Amino acid sequence: MDNGMDTRRTTRALATEAVHAGRDDLAGLGLHAPPIDLSTTYPSYDSRAEAARIDAFATTGAEPDGPPVYGRLGNPTVARFETALARLEGTESAVAFASGMAALSAVLLVRGSMGLRHVVAVRPLYGCSDHLLTAGLLGSEVTWTDPAGVADALRPDTGLVLVESPANPTLAEIDLRAVAHACGSVPLLVDNTFATPVLQRPVEQGARLVLHSATKYLGGHGDVLAGVVACDEEFAGRLRQVRFATGGVLHPLAGYLLLRGLSTLPVRVRAASANAAALAARLTADPRVARVHYPSLGGAMVAFEVHGDPHAVIAGVRLITPAVSLGSVDSLIQHPASISHRIVDADDRRDAGVSDRLLRLSVGLEDVEDLWADLDQALGTPSAHPARTEAMAQG
């Protein structure tokens, strides 16, 4: 990406990139903190040159050279975040959108515009992603399969293979390298929201597209709604064209907050992951818990099934917030069958491992003893329960 910044591919550790990527030009500008550009339009006194730049964008979707044109084509503050996220994911480019669902919709529209409307997908996915595919709201047709069946599910009009690993909400893990091999020439899109580039960089395992609900860990503070696709520059150009045409742009203030959030991403993810691992171990040993799902990759998400009433746990927490979303500095808990995956057909939901007793916990940065004390009281008084068939599910 060329945003007037030094984006040379130097070898720097991820923690260093998180702090400095997208900010390489600031010292030369006499700045320390990135500026926020809230302009929707920009002056231009050379309309012939402006026409040529717009023609170039219409042809390739490449970011226009020179000063910005209009907020729907791009924004300098948002571009800084895109540059930084691309560096963290190890891709040529990244394109940001107003939400994660807007980002996924843009990918489907790009492939559909090429006559490639068929999607092969592996459950579970985030509930709204599942619904978008199943309902065919963008004219797509989906074949659901397990990871081993991806190659057999491909058709001449298959435009995309979509997986999420670790998956929402069961934290099931997929061998991304094996799936990428099975895809052949069909692009593999990996939803990397739960893992973040701190724990996993899907392009290194063969994925072409990496999706994030940036609302979650990338922002990290529960105060920004956004989505982003990290990819090669050719695909990024097509995504920019869809973004311009459909208007699913990211607000500059959100871009600023996301860039700021990236600077602490490695620290936040590792600290929250340590808390989550400790809670997963305690939940595994607890007789009130039937099963615990915690990925071998690690991370800050824990899912667990209770013997008792999951709704009583939701109603009983006092420190942990009962709310949708995840990836914030504070801990959140929700009942997927009632909320995040309610829109998925009940049988499909259960077949994907989303039981009615499953709870999803996004672990934050609080003291782990305080978090455990809250869970302990919310789980209620221990009672006799049937033996668990499996204490810990490693994805």
Side-chain angles (χ1 to χ4, degrees):
M1 300 174 66
D2 182 7
N3 301 315
M5 289 172 274
D6 179 3
T7 56
R8 292 172 294 179
R9 299 289 171 164
T10 55
T11 302
R12 302 196 296 199
L14 183 134
T16 303
E17 290 284 29
V19 173
H20 289 281
R23 304 166 178 83
D24 299 289
D25 66 328
L26 291 180
L29 297 173
L31 299 173
H32 181 241
I36 307 175
D37 187 333
L38 294 174
S39 297
T40 57
T41 191
Y42 300 84
S44 173
Y45 294 94
D46 189 342
S47 56
R48 291 186 180 88
E50 202 79 328
R53 293 203 297 154
I54 293 173
D55 286 347
F57 177 83
T59 301
T60 66
E63 293 179 299
D65 293 329
V69 178
Y70 181 59
R72 196 148 45 83
L73 272 82
N75 171 272
T77 305
V78 172
R80 290 181 182 276
F81 163 66
E82 293 173 330
T83 296
L85 193 277
R87 292 292 292 267
L88 292 180
E89 283 289 4
T91 60
E92 290 179 333
S93 301
V95 183
F97 294 86
S99 69
M101 291 309 301
L104 176 57
S105 296
V107 173
L108 295 174
L109 288 171
V110 166
R111 300 305 281 165
S113 70
M114 303 170 69
L116 302 171
R117 299 184 179 278
H118 180 241
V119 178
V120 174
V122 177
R123 281 191 173 114
L125 295 175
Y126 169 52
C128 288
S129 300
D130 189 309
H131 176 68
L132 181 65
L133 295 175
T134 303
L137 296 176
L138 297 178
S140 57
E141 178 187 351
V142 62
T143 297
W144 296 101
T145 185
D146 58 33
V150 166
D152 290 338
L154 299 178
R155 305 187 328 204
D157 63 338
T158 302
L160 190 71
V161 175
L162 174 58
V163 302
E164 185 174 357
S165 182
N168 186 354
T170 66
L171 304 174
E173 295 176 277
I174 291 174
D175 184 340
L176 297 181
R177 195 176 301 277
V179 172
H181 178 74
C183 289
S185 61
V186 177
L188 171 62
L189 170 63
V190 176
D191 188 329
N192 203 34
T193 298
F194 278 20
T196 81
V198 177
L199 301 178
Q200 173 177 270
R201 286 156 56 112
V203 293
E204 295 176 351
Q205 300 179 60
R208 184 178 175 188
L209 309 168
V210 182
L211 173 71
H212 286 273
S213 173
T215 307
K216 314 307 193 292
Y217 289 103
L218 302 190
H221 293 77
D223 55 7
V224 60
L225 194 69
V228 64
V229 179
C231 55
D232 57 70
E233 175 56 26
E234 178 186 358
F235 204 95
R238 292 182 176 274
L239 288 173
R240 292 187 199 106
Q241 290 175 321
V242 168
R243 182 177 64 182
F244 172 72
T246 61
V249 296
L250 184 65
H251 191 275
L253 180 57
Y256 171 83
L257 291 172
L258 288 167
L259 184 63
R260 188 173 69 168
L262 288 184
S263 64
T264 60
L265 178 67
V267 176
R268 288 187 285 105
V269 168
R270 288 167 182 150
S273 297
N275 278 350
L279 292 178
R282 294 190 185 188
L283 289 166
T284 299
D286 196 297
R288 296 166 294 183
V289 176
R291 190 181 187 193
V292 174
H293 306 255
Y294 188 68
S296 60
L297 188 69
M301 299 297 300
V302 180
F304 60 99
E305 299 169 43
V306 295
H307 286 295
D309 182 3
H311 301 285
V313 179
I314 294 292
V317 292
R318 294 295 178 263
L319 175 64
I320 299 168
T321 302
V324 297
S325 200
L326 57 106
S328 184
V329 291
D330 61 317
S331 297
L332 307 174
I333 192 169
Q334 64 112 342
H335 182 241
S338 294
I339 304 180
S340 65
H341 288 71
R342 188 67 179 178
I343 202 168
V344 179
D345 178 81
D347 290 337
D348 291 336
R349 194 168 63 225
R350 296 185 188 102
D351 288 345
V354 185
S355 78
D356 290 342
R357 293 185 182 272
L358 182 74
L359 293 167
R360 191 192 73 187
L361 176 65
S362 171
V363 183
L365 302 181
E366 302 95 338
D367 185 272
V368 71
E369 296 300 330
D370 290 332
L371 290 173
W372 176 248
D374 194 37
L375 280 175
D376 185 36
Q377 62 85 25
L379 285 166
T381 304
S383 58
H385 297 296
R388 285 173 286 181
T389 58
E390 185 175 359
M392 178 76 81
Q394 294 289 346

